Amino acid sequence: MSSPSVPLRAILVFGATGRQGSALINALLSSPGIESKHTILAVTRDPSTPRAQKLIQSERSRRIIKVIKGNLNSPSEIFRQARELSPSGDNKVWGVFSMQDKDPKIYPNYLDSPEVKQAFGLIDESIKNGVEYYVYTSGDRGGNDRSWENPTTVPHFKTKYHIERYLLDQIKEQNSSMRWTIFRPTMFYENLQPTFDIKIFMTAYRDILRNKKCQWISTVDIGVFVSKAFLTPEEYYGRAISLAGDEFTFEELDEKFRKVTGKGVPVTFGVLGKTLGLAARDYQLMLECFRDDGYGADIEECRRIHPGMMGVEEWLRERSGYTKI
């Protein structure tokens, strides 16, 4: 006698056409037998864009992925569509991947931040709709333990601190059975792409951090970590894990750039780096936080979980937009 089939679990993925959301979807699609385990409900503001259409360009991806047009300011409408597309037969969304874009504007009251409003609304709607598993990508603030108590002085780090707290508080207050996992990435390699604004940022980075090491990770690897949580949730329930794949000083990064591209880290005149604090105070505070406190991810533990994590040299060769030698 054949064993009864297990209902497909629907994963609602926010930011599906962005770096982290698309990385998660790619990681899930590369998992053997994913079509017999999950349906991916990919949320995007405009399903007609090339990025959204790329999600369903193959016959296999069209069987696994359903694209939902939605705005994080209206989570109830997104869940209405998601319930209709759920394959389980009970109009249920099993899992949610939550991430929100940071806002460069500094809000005196963190509750006024669109990032916080969207995250709080999504948490509320997930609990209301009986979501079983909620995975949120936040940001590291000094390591797995210290991040719980350290909002930092950086506005877009503080918002994530409060979102984490709200998630756990609402689960408790609503007596919800929703399980959760929080991933806290460090700086993204993708922030090193060859653009002029990155030249200004890296100039300030060099001058403020000097010989201080900083931790980095690729968004591709963030997607792999999140996919592992959805594929083997029992191993990740109730865990908050800081993520990093490499650690180096500016001088060490400069050496890696020269080895791969033949040129050092793109920078500009020092005086322009000093203007960062005037034009983007949030980023100035972030660099000062890196200098004074720093990230605290356990890279050895991260590599134990995901042995294939990219170092920055590998990322420069395989993923960056720089000309290689």
Side-chain angles (χ1 to χ4, degrees), residues 188-220:
F188 300 163
Y189 296 149
E190 286 76 9
N191 291 334
L192 293 170
Q193 295 289 5
T195 59
F196 185 70
D197 58 333
I198 295 303
K199 282 187 176 182
I200 295 175
F201 177 80
M202 291 309 297
T203 302
Y205 179 100
R206 176 197 65 192
D207 296 342
I208 293 174
L209 268 71
R210 298 184 180 275
N211 294 323
K212 180 71 178 284
K213 287 182 180 289
C214 187
Q215 294 182 333
W216 295 68
I217 189 173
S218 170
T219 54
V220 173

PDB file of all heavy atoms in Angstrom, residues 188-220:
ATOM      1  N   PHE A 188      26.798  43.318   3.243  1.00  0.00           N
ATOM      2  CA  PHE A 188      26.662  42.561   2.001  1.00  0.00           C
ATOM      3  C   PHE A 188      27.828  42.841   1.049  1.00  0.00           C
ATOM      4  O   PHE A 188      28.173  44.001   0.792  1.00  0.00           O
ATOM      5  CB  PHE A 188      25.370  42.934   1.272  1.00  0.00           C
ATOM      6  CG  PHE A 188      24.110  42.677   2.038  1.00  0.00           C
ATOM      7  CD1 PHE A 188      22.924  43.294   1.647  1.00  0.00           C
ATOM      8  CD2 PHE A 188      24.086  41.831   3.139  1.00  0.00           C
ATOM      9  CE1 PHE A 188      21.744  43.063   2.335  1.00  0.00           C
ATOM     10  CE2 PHE A 188      22.921  41.597   3.841  1.00  0.00           C
ATOM     11  CZ  PHE A 188      21.744  42.219   3.433  1.00  0.00           C
ATOM     12  N   TYR A 189      28.403  41.779   0.462  1.00  0.00           N
ATOM     13  CA  TYR A 189      29.385  41.964  -0.613  1.00  0.00           C
ATOM     14  C   TYR A 189      28.784  42.798  -1.742  1.00  0.00           C
ATOM     15  O   TYR A 189      29.495  43.557  -2.411  1.00  0.00           O
ATOM     16  CB  TYR A 189      29.795  40.616  -1.233  1.00  0.00           C
ATOM     17  CG  TYR A 189      30.506  39.648  -0.326  1.00  0.00           C
ATOM     18  CD1 TYR A 189      30.348  38.277  -0.505  1.00  0.00           C
ATOM     19  CD2 TYR A 189      31.354  40.083   0.696  1.00  0.00           C
ATOM     20  CE1 TYR A 189      31.005  37.358   0.297  1.00  0.00           C
ATOM     21  CE2 TYR A 189      32.012  39.167   1.511  1.00  0.00           C
ATOM     22  CZ  TYR A 189      31.830  37.803   1.302  1.00  0.00           C
ATOM     23  OH  TYR A 189      32.477  36.899   2.098  1.00  0.00           O
ATOM     24  N   GLU A 190      27.499  42.628  -1.976  1.00  0.00           N
ATOM     25  CA  GLU A 190      26.840  43.327  -3.094  1.00  0.00           C
ATOM     26  C   GLU A 190      26.923  44.840  -2.949  1.00  0.00           C
ATOM     27  O   GLU A 190      26.716  45.571  -3.937  1.00  0.00           O
ATOM     28  CB  GLU A 190      25.388  42.871  -3.205  1.00  0.00           C
ATOM     29  CG  GLU A 190      25.213  41.487  -3.779  1.00  0.00           C
ATOM     30  CD  GLU A 190      25.544  40.349  -2.824  1.00  0.00           C
ATOM     31  OE1 GLU A 190      25.762  40.604  -1.613  1.00  0.00           O
ATOM     32  OE2 GLU A 190      25.606  39.197  -3.271  1.00  0.00           O
ATOM     33  N   ASN A 191      27.250  45.326  -1.744  1.00  0.00           N
ATOM     34  CA  ASN A 191      27.439  46.766  -1.553  1.00  0.00           C
ATOM     35  C   ASN A 191      28.753  47.254  -2.163  1.00  0.00           C
ATOM     36  O   ASN A 191      29.023  48.461  -2.159  1.00  0.00           O
ATOM     37  CB  ASN A 191      27.424  47.114  -0.063  1.00  0.00           C
ATOM     38  CG  ASN A 191      26.050  46.933   0.552  1.00  0.00           C
ATOM     39  OD1 ASN A 191      25.045  47.017  -0.132  1.00  0.00           O
ATOM     40  ND2 ASN A 191      26.002  46.663   1.842  1.00  0.00           N
ATOM     41  N   LEU A 192      29.560  46.341  -2.691  1.00  0.00           N
ATOM     42  CA  LEU A 192      30.856  46.698  -3.270  1.00  0.00           C
ATOM     43  C   LEU A 192      30.795  46.896  -4.785  1.00  0.00           C
ATOM     44  O   LEU A 192      31.825  47.035  -5.427  1.00  0.00           O
ATOM     45  CB  LEU A 192      31.889  45.603  -2.955  1.00  0.00           C
ATOM     46  CG  LEU A 192      32.268  45.440  -1.487  1.00  0.00           C
ATOM     47  CD1 LEU A 192      33.098  44.177  -1.294  1.00  0.00           C
ATOM     48  CD2 LEU A 192      33.042  46.662  -1.001  1.00  0.00           C
ATOM     49  N   GLN A 193      29.624  46.894  -5.381  1.00  0.00           N
ATOM     50  CA  GLN A 193      29.520  47.002  -6.832  1.00  0.00           C
ATOM     51  C   GLN A 193      30.105  48.330  -7.328  1.00  0.00           C
ATOM     52  O   GLN A 193      30.120  49.330  -6.598  1.00  0.00           O
ATOM     53  CB  GLN A 193      28.064  46.874  -7.268  1.00  0.00           C
ATOM     54  CG  GLN A 193      27.446  45.511  -7.001  1.00  0.00           C
ATOM     55  CD  GLN A 193      27.982  44.393  -7.898  1.00  0.00           C
ATOM     56  OE1 GLN A 193      28.893  44.605  -8.686  1.00  0.00           O
ATOM     57  NE2 GLN A 193      27.413  43.198  -7.768  1.00  0.00           N
ATOM     58  N   PRO A 194      30.618  48.368  -8.583  1.00  0.00           N
ATOM     59  CA  PRO A 194      31.340  49.536  -9.104  1.00  0.00           C
ATOM     60  C   PRO A 194      30.444  50.708  -9.477  1.00  0.00           C
ATOM     61  O   PRO A 194      30.100  50.911 -10.650  1.00  0.00           O
ATOM     62  CB  PRO A 194      32.065  48.972 -10.335  1.00  0.00           C
ATOM     63  CG  PRO A 194      31.207  47.832 -10.786  1.00  0.00           C
ATOM     64  CD  PRO A 194      30.630  47.241  -9.530  1.00  0.00           C
ATOM     65  N   THR A 195      30.048  51.486  -8.510  1.00  0.00           N
ATOM     66  CA  THR A 195      29.270  52.704  -8.741  1.00  0.00           C
ATOM     67  C   THR A 195      29.939  53.857  -7.989  1.00  0.00           C
ATOM     68  O   THR A 195      30.699  53.635  -7.038  1.00  0.00           O
ATOM     69  CB  THR A 195      27.822  52.545  -8.252  1.00  0.00           C
ATOM     70  OG1 THR A 195      27.837  52.240  -6.844  1.00  0.00           O
ATOM     71  CG2 THR A 195      27.107  51.415  -8.992  1.00  0.00           C
ATOM     72  N   PHE A 196      29.643  55.081  -8.387  1.00  0.00           N
ATOM     73  CA  PHE A 196      30.330  56.217  -7.769  1.00  0.00           C
ATOM     74  C   PHE A 196      29.933  56.392  -6.302  1.00  0.00           C
ATOM     75  O   PHE A 196      30.771  56.767  -5.463  1.00  0.00           O
ATOM     76  CB  PHE A 196      30.035  57.509  -8.536  1.00  0.00           C
ATOM     77  CG  PHE A 196      30.822  58.682  -8.011  1.00  0.00           C
ATOM     78  CD1 PHE A 196      32.199  58.744  -8.208  1.00  0.00           C
ATOM     79  CD2 PHE A 196      30.196  59.696  -7.295  1.00  0.00           C
ATOM     80  CE1 PHE A 196      32.942  59.813  -7.702  1.00  0.00           C
ATOM     81  CE2 PHE A 196      30.936  60.761  -6.784  1.00  0.00           C
ATOM     82  CZ  PHE A 196      32.310  60.827  -6.998  1.00  0.00           C
ATOM     83  N   ASP A 197      28.667  56.138  -5.965  1.00  0.00           N
ATOM     84  CA  ASP A 197      28.266  56.290  -4.573  1.00  0.00           C
ATOM     85  C   ASP A 197      28.989  55.279  -3.673  1.00  0.00           C
ATOM     86  O   ASP A 197      29.275  55.562  -2.513  1.00  0.00           O
ATOM     87  CB  ASP A 197      26.746  56.169  -4.413  1.00  0.00           C
ATOM     88  CG  ASP A 197      26.199  54.843  -4.914  1.00  0.00           C
ATOM     89  OD1 ASP A 197      26.819  54.251  -5.811  1.00  0.00           O
ATOM     90  OD2 ASP A 197      25.145  54.410  -4.423  1.00  0.00           O
ATOM     91  N   ILE A 198      29.319  54.104  -4.235  1.00  0.00           N
ATOM     92  CA  ILE A 198      30.088  53.129  -3.469  1.00  0.00           C
ATOM     93  C   ILE A 198      31.521  53.625  -3.273  1.00  0.00           C
ATOM     94  O   ILE A 198      32.144  53.383  -2.231  1.00  0.00           O
ATOM     95  CB  ILE A 198      30.071  51.755  -4.157  1.00  0.00           C
ATOM     96  CG1 ILE A 198      28.643  51.203  -4.154  1.00  0.00           C
ATOM     97  CG2 ILE A 198      31.012  50.780  -3.448  1.00  0.00           C
ATOM     98  CD1 ILE A 198      28.012  51.072  -2.782  1.00  0.00           C
ATOM     99  N   LYS A 199      32.063  54.350  -4.239  1.00  0.00           N
ATOM    100  CA  LYS A 199      33.388  54.951  -4.067  1.00  0.00           C
ATOM    101  C   LYS A 199      33.399  55.891  -2.860  1.00  0.00           C
ATOM    102  O   LYS A 199      34.336  55.889  -2.055  1.00  0.00           O
ATOM    103  CB  LYS A 199      33.793  55.735  -5.319  1.00  0.00           C
ATOM    104  CG  LYS A 199      34.276  54.900  -6.486  1.00  0.00           C
ATOM    105  CD  LYS A 199      34.811  55.812  -7.580  1.00  0.00           C
ATOM    106  CE  LYS A 199      35.399  55.001  -8.730  1.00  0.00           C
ATOM    107  NZ  LYS A 199      35.974  55.893  -9.771  1.00  0.00           N
ATOM    108  N   ILE A 200      32.351  56.704  -2.741  1.00  0.00           N
ATOM    109  CA  ILE A 200      32.265  57.627  -1.612  1.00  0.00           C
ATOM    110  C   ILE A 200      32.143  56.849  -0.303  1.00  0.00           C
ATOM    111  O   ILE A 200      32.833  57.145   0.682  1.00  0.00           O
ATOM    112  CB  ILE A 200      31.071  58.580  -1.793  1.00  0.00           C
ATOM    113  CG1 ILE A 200      31.284  59.474  -3.015  1.00  0.00           C
ATOM    114  CG2 ILE A 200      30.860  59.422  -0.542  1.00  0.00           C
ATOM    115  CD1 ILE A 200      30.100  60.370  -3.333  1.00  0.00           C
ATOM    116  N   PHE A 201      31.275  55.830  -0.324  1.00  0.00           N
ATOM    117  CA  PHE A 201      31.076  55.033   0.894  1.00  0.00           C
ATOM    118  C   PHE A 201      32.367  54.343   1.306  1.00  0.00           C
ATOM    119  O   PHE A 201      32.744  54.349   2.493  1.00  0.00           O
ATOM    120  CB  PHE A 201      29.973  53.997   0.663  1.00  0.00           C
ATOM    121  CG  PHE A 201      29.750  53.088   1.840  1.00  0.00           C
ATOM    122  CD1 PHE A 201      29.003  53.513   2.929  1.00  0.00           C
ATOM    123  CD2 PHE A 201      30.299  51.812   1.871  1.00  0.00           C
ATOM    124  CE1 PHE A 201      28.807  52.682   4.026  1.00  0.00           C
ATOM    125  CE2 PHE A 201      30.109  50.974   2.960  1.00  0.00           C
ATOM    126  CZ  PHE A 201      29.361  51.410   4.045  1.00  0.00           C
ATOM    127  N   MET A 202      33.086  53.727   0.358  1.00  0.00           N
ATOM    128  CA  MET A 202      34.296  52.997   0.703  1.00  0.00           C
ATOM    129  C   MET A 202      35.429  53.931   1.111  1.00  0.00           C
ATOM    130  O   MET A 202      36.328  53.540   1.873  1.00  0.00           O
ATOM    131  CB  MET A 202      34.722  52.102  -0.456  1.00  0.00           C
ATOM    132  CG  MET A 202      33.773  50.930  -0.717  1.00  0.00           C
ATOM    133  SD  MET A 202      33.380  49.940   0.768  1.00  0.00           S
ATOM    134  CE  MET A 202      35.008  49.285   1.199  1.00  0.00           C
ATOM    135  N   THR A 203      35.399  55.157   0.643  1.00  0.00           N
ATOM    136  CA  THR A 203      36.374  56.144   1.107  1.00  0.00           C
ATOM    137  C   THR A 203      36.147  56.440   2.589  1.00  0.00           C
ATOM    138  O   THR A 203      37.092  56.457   3.390  1.00  0.00           O
ATOM    139  CB  THR A 203      36.271  57.438   0.285  1.00  0.00           C
ATOM    140  OG1 THR A 203      36.470  57.148  -1.095  1.00  0.00           O
ATOM    141  CG2 THR A 203      37.313  58.454   0.743  1.00  0.00           C
ATOM    142  N   ALA A 204      34.883  56.650   2.961  1.00  0.00           N
ATOM    143  CA  ALA A 204      34.554  56.867   4.365  1.00  0.00           C
ATOM    144  C   ALA A 204      34.834  55.607   5.188  1.00  0.00           C
ATOM    145  O   ALA A 204      35.334  55.690   6.323  1.00  0.00           O
ATOM    146  CB  ALA A 204      33.089  57.277   4.496  1.00  0.00           C
ATOM    147  N   TYR A 205      34.531  54.456   4.632  1.00  0.00           N
ATOM    148  CA  TYR A 205      34.800  53.169   5.292  1.00  0.00           C
ATOM    149  C   TYR A 205      36.285  53.056   5.632  1.00  0.00           C
ATOM    150  O   TYR A 205      36.669  52.699   6.743  1.00  0.00           O
ATOM    151  CB  TYR A 205      34.361  52.061   4.344  1.00  0.00           C
ATOM    152  CG  TYR A 205      34.581  50.642   4.813  1.00  0.00           C
ATOM    153  CD1 TYR A 205      33.544  49.903   5.355  1.00  0.00           C
ATOM    154  CD2 TYR A 205      35.823  50.019   4.666  1.00  0.00           C
ATOM    155  CE1 TYR A 205      33.731  48.577   5.750  1.00  0.00           C
ATOM    156  CE2 TYR A 205      36.027  48.710   5.056  1.00  0.00           C
ATOM    157  CZ  TYR A 205      34.973  47.996   5.603  1.00  0.00           C
ATOM    158  OH  TYR A 205      35.173  46.692   5.998  1.00  0.00           O
ATOM    159  N   ARG A 206      37.145  53.354   4.659  1.00  0.00           N
ATOM    160  CA  ARG A 206      38.600  53.295   4.865  1.00  0.00           C
ATOM    161  C   ARG A 206      39.052  54.255   5.960  1.00  0.00           C
ATOM    162  O   ARG A 206      39.825  53.873   6.860  1.00  0.00           O
ATOM    163  CB  ARG A 206      39.302  53.652   3.555  1.00  0.00           C
ATOM    164  CG  ARG A 206      40.823  53.736   3.637  1.00  0.00           C
ATOM    165  CD  ARG A 206      41.376  54.488   2.443  1.00  0.00           C
ATOM    166  NE  ARG A 206      40.942  55.891   2.437  1.00  0.00           N
ATOM    167  CZ  ARG A 206      41.086  56.710   1.392  1.00  0.00           C
ATOM    168  NH1 ARG A 206      41.599  56.265   0.255  1.00  0.00           N
ATOM    169  NH2 ARG A 206      40.673  57.972   1.473  1.00  0.00           N
ATOM    170  N   ASP A 207      38.558  55.476   5.923  1.00  0.00           N
ATOM    171  CA  ASP A 207      39.045  56.502   6.832  1.00  0.00           C
ATOM    172  C   ASP A 207      38.504  56.351   8.247  1.00  0.00           C
ATOM    173  O   ASP A 207      39.150  56.763   9.208  1.00  0.00           O
ATOM    174  CB  ASP A 207      38.688  57.890   6.280  1.00  0.00           C
ATOM    175  CG  ASP A 207      39.395  58.175   4.959  1.00  0.00           C
ATOM    176  OD1 ASP A 207      40.390  57.480   4.661  1.00  0.00           O
ATOM    177  OD2 ASP A 207      38.939  59.074   4.224  1.00  0.00           O
ATOM    178  N   ILE A 208      37.313  55.774   8.391  1.00  0.00           N
ATOM    179  CA  ILE A 208      36.716  55.619   9.721  1.00  0.00           C
ATOM    180  C   ILE A 208      37.156  54.315  10.380  1.00  0.00           C
ATOM    181  O   ILE A 208      37.540  54.287  11.551  1.00  0.00           O
ATOM    182  CB  ILE A 208      35.180  55.695   9.634  1.00  0.00           C
ATOM    183  CG1 ILE A 208      34.735  57.101   9.233  1.00  0.00           C
ATOM    184  CG2 ILE A 208      34.530  55.287  10.954  1.00  0.00           C
ATOM    185  CD1 ILE A 208      33.247  57.247   8.979  1.00  0.00           C
ATOM    186  N   LEU A 209      37.142  53.216   9.643  1.00  0.00           N
ATOM    187  CA  LEU A 209      37.488  51.926  10.250  1.00  0.00           C
ATOM    188  C   LEU A 209      38.993  51.717  10.370  1.00  0.00           C
ATOM    189  O   LEU A 209      39.447  50.999  11.258  1.00  0.00           O
ATOM    190  CB  LEU A 209      36.878  50.773   9.434  1.00  0.00           C
ATOM    191  CG  LEU A 209      35.498  50.314   9.903  1.00  0.00           C
ATOM    192  CD1 LEU A 209      34.432  51.359   9.585  1.00  0.00           C
ATOM    193  CD2 LEU A 209      35.123  48.982   9.283  1.00  0.00           C
ATOM    194  N   ARG A 210      39.764  52.287   9.461  1.00  0.00           N
ATOM    195  CA  ARG A 210      41.217  52.145   9.454  1.00  0.00           C
ATOM    196  C   ARG A 210      41.613  50.670   9.513  1.00  0.00           C
ATOM    197  O   ARG A 210      41.372  49.940   8.571  1.00  0.00           O
ATOM    198  CB  ARG A 210      41.845  52.970  10.573  1.00  0.00           C
ATOM    199  CG  ARG A 210      41.585  54.468  10.420  1.00  0.00           C
ATOM    200  CD  ARG A 210      42.280  55.293  11.451  1.00  0.00           C
ATOM    201  NE  ARG A 210      41.992  56.710  11.267  1.00  0.00           N
ATOM    202  CZ  ARG A 210      42.644  57.521  10.448  1.00  0.00           C
ATOM    203  NH1 ARG A 210      43.673  57.036   9.735  1.00  0.00           N
ATOM    204  NH2 ARG A 210      42.319  58.790  10.323  1.00  0.00           N
ATOM    205  N   ASN A 211      42.168  50.199  10.619  1.00  0.00           N
ATOM    206  CA  ASN A 211      42.649  48.813  10.700  1.00  0.00           C
ATOM    207  C   ASN A 211      41.652  47.870  11.358  1.00  0.00           C
ATOM    208  O   ASN A 211      42.008  46.741  11.696  1.00  0.00           O
ATOM    209  CB  ASN A 211      43.979  48.768  11.473  1.00  0.00           C
ATOM    210  CG  ASN A 211      45.092  49.487  10.736  1.00  0.00           C
ATOM    211  OD1 ASN A 211      45.167  49.429   9.508  1.00  0.00           O
ATOM    212  ND2 ASN A 211      45.939  50.183  11.479  1.00  0.00           N
ATOM    213  N   LYS A 212      40.409  48.322  11.544  1.00  0.00           N
ATOM    214  CA  LYS A 212      39.399  47.481  12.196  1.00  0.00           C
ATOM    215  C   LYS A 212      38.817  46.497  11.177  1.00  0.00           C
ATOM    216  O   LYS A 212      38.451  46.868  10.068  1.00  0.00           O
ATOM    217  CB  LYS A 212      38.279  48.367  12.763  1.00  0.00           C
ATOM    218  CG  LYS A 212      37.168  47.610  13.473  1.00  0.00           C
ATOM    219  CD  LYS A 212      37.649  47.037  14.803  1.00  0.00           C
ATOM    220  CE  LYS A 212      36.507  46.329  15.528  1.00  0.00           C
ATOM    221  NZ  LYS A 212      35.569  47.303  16.146  1.00  0.00           N
ATOM    222  N   LYS A 213      38.724  45.221  11.578  1.00  0.00           N
ATOM    223  CA  LYS A 213      38.108  44.219  10.708  1.00  0.00           C
ATOM    224  C   LYS A 213      36.591  44.392  10.693  1.00  0.00           C
ATOM    225  O   LYS A 213      35.997  44.824  11.677  1.00  0.00           O
ATOM    226  CB  LYS A 213      38.452  42.805  11.185  1.00  0.00           C
ATOM    227  CG  LYS A 213      39.887  42.366  10.923  1.00  0.00           C
ATOM    228  CD  LYS A 213      40.099  40.955  11.391  1.00  0.00           C
ATOM    229  CE  LYS A 213      41.532  40.470  11.141  1.00  0.00           C
ATOM    230  NZ  LYS A 213      41.796  40.259   9.702  1.00  0.00           N
ATOM    231  N   CYS A 214      35.985  44.040   9.582  1.00  0.00           N
ATOM    232  CA  CYS A 214      34.530  44.067   9.460  1.00  0.00           C
ATOM    233  C   CYS A 214      34.085  42.762   8.803  1.00  0.00           C
ATOM    234  O   CYS A 214      34.805  42.195   7.973  1.00  0.00           O
ATOM    235  CB  CYS A 214      34.083  45.259   8.618  1.00  0.00           C
ATOM    236  SG  CYS A 214      32.285  45.502   8.551  1.00  0.00           S
ATOM    237  N   GLN A 215      32.913  42.276   9.176  1.00  0.00           N
ATOM    238  CA  GLN A 215      32.393  41.021   8.640  1.00  0.00           C
ATOM    239  C   GLN A 215      31.440  41.285   7.483  1.00  0.00           C
ATOM    240  O   GLN A 215      30.664  42.239   7.503  1.00  0.00           O
ATOM    241  CB  GLN A 215      31.681  40.240   9.745  1.00  0.00           C
ATOM    242  CG  GLN A 215      32.605  39.767  10.847  1.00  0.00           C
ATOM    243  CD  GLN A 215      31.877  38.960  11.905  1.00  0.00           C
ATOM    244  OE1 GLN A 215      30.675  39.124  12.130  1.00  0.00           O
ATOM    245  NE2 GLN A 215      32.601  38.073  12.587  1.00  0.00           N
ATOM    246  N   TRP A 216      31.486  40.376   6.477  1.00  0.00           N
ATOM    247  CA  TRP A 216      30.696  40.523   5.270  1.00  0.00           C
ATOM    248  C   TRP A 216      30.082  39.187   4.877  1.00  0.00           C
ATOM    249  O   TRP A 216      30.534  38.131   5.321  1.00  0.00           O
ATOM    250  CB  TRP A 216      31.575  41.015   4.116  1.00  0.00           C
ATOM    251  CG  TRP A 216      32.158  42.380   4.280  1.00  0.00           C
ATOM    252  CD1 TRP A 216      33.110  42.771   5.188  1.00  0.00           C
ATOM    253  CD2 TRP A 216      31.843  43.545   3.512  1.00  0.00           C
ATOM    254  NE1 TRP A 216      33.416  44.100   5.023  1.00  0.00           N
ATOM    255  CE2 TRP A 216      32.651  44.603   4.004  1.00  0.00           C
ATOM    256  CE3 TRP A 216      30.972  43.791   2.450  1.00  0.00           C
ATOM    257  CZ2 TRP A 216      32.601  45.882   3.458  1.00  0.00           C
ATOM    258  CZ3 TRP A 216      30.927  45.069   1.921  1.00  0.00           C
ATOM    259  CH2 TRP A 216      31.729  46.099   2.423  1.00  0.00           C
ATOM    260  N   ILE A 217      29.072  39.233   3.997  1.00  0.00           N
ATOM    261  CA  ILE A 217      28.428  38.026   3.486  1.00  0.00           C
ATOM    262  C   ILE A 217      27.778  38.341   2.148  1.00  0.00           C
ATOM    263  O   ILE A 217      27.435  39.506   1.867  1.00  0.00           O
ATOM    264  CB  ILE A 217      27.366  37.496   4.478  1.00  0.00           C
ATOM    265  CG1 ILE A 217      26.846  36.120   4.043  1.00  0.00           C
ATOM    266  CG2 ILE A 217      26.218  38.496   4.649  1.00  0.00           C
ATOM    267  CD1 ILE A 217      25.933  35.458   5.061  1.00  0.00           C
ATOM    268  N   SER A 218      27.590  37.321   1.328  1.00  0.00           N
ATOM    269  CA  SER A 218      26.848  37.484   0.074  1.00  0.00           C
ATOM    270  C   SER A 218      25.368  37.234   0.313  1.00  0.00           C
ATOM    271  O   SER A 218      24.996  36.341   1.080  1.00  0.00           O
ATOM    272  CB  SER A 218      27.369  36.500  -0.977  1.00  0.00           C
ATOM    273  OG  SER A 218      26.514  36.475  -2.109  1.00  0.00           O
ATOM    274  N   THR A 219      24.520  37.993  -0.360  1.00  0.00           N
ATOM    275  CA  THR A 219      23.078  37.751  -0.256  1.00  0.00           C
ATOM    276  C   THR A 219      22.714  36.379  -0.834  1.00  0.00           C
ATOM    277  O   THR A 219      21.699  35.792  -0.447  1.00  0.00           O
ATOM    278  CB  THR A 219      22.274  38.841  -0.980  1.00  0.00           C
ATOM    279  OG1 THR A 219      22.737  38.962  -2.332  1.00  0.00           O
ATOM    280  CG2 THR A 219      22.422  40.177  -0.273  1.00  0.00           C
ATOM    281  N   VAL A 220      23.545  35.860  -1.739  1.00  0.00           N
ATOM    282  CA  VAL A 220      23.319  34.504  -2.260  1.00  0.00           C
ATOM    283  C   VAL A 220      23.363  33.504  -1.110  1.00  0.00           C
ATOM    284  O   VAL A 220      22.518  32.601  -1.012  1.00  0.00           O
ATOM    285  CB  VAL A 220      24.368  34.146  -3.328  1.00  0.00           C
ATOM    286  CG1 VAL A 220      24.239  32.678  -3.740  1.00  0.00           C
ATOM    287  CG2 VAL A 220      24.233  35.054  -4.539  1.00  0.00           C
TER     288      VAL A 220
END
